[in-house]
Amino acid sequence: KTAVTGDFVLIANEVNPVIKALQQNGIAITAIHSHMLKEEPRLLFMHFWAVDDAEKLAKGLRAALDVTNVKK
């Protein structure tokens, strides 16, 4: 078993797809919040946590990254 924790910094339209990808892979969302005021674009911090098989968790994190606007 492996533990994984961390956070994504997302714009609003990325939040729901990332939640879906993480939850489908057994990764729990522990918080969603903002650290700043009046930033453009609005940035949201999504914290996550899971304990499971390392390969499964890695695939879950990859699935979440794949639905963000990160250039490939």
Side-chain angles (χ1 to χ4, degrees):
K1 296 253 180 181
T2 299
V4 64
T5 188
D7 58 301
F8 286 94
V9 181
L10 306 166
I11 59 175
N13 67 348
E14 295 173 316
V15 172
N16 286 331
V18 170
I19 288 173
K20 183 177 178 180
L22 291 174
Q23 288 180 337
Q24 286 177 337
N25 288 281
I27 301 172
I29 289 80
T30 59
I32 300 172
H33 60 91
S34 178
H35 286 270
M36 297 166 269
L37 301 172
K38 300 182 183 180
E39 76 279 10
E40 289 293 328
R42 181 92 170 131
L43 299 175
L44 299 161
F45 293 75
M46 179 185 297
H47 298 263
F48 59 86
W49 163 260
V51 176
D52 209 328
D53 174 71
E55 187 173 340
K56 178 183 177 186
L57 295 176
K59 287 179 180 177
L61 293 174
R62 178 77 258 175
L65 285 170
D66 286 344
V67 296
T68 67
N69 293 317
V70 174
K71 291 186 180 181
K72 295 171 178 73

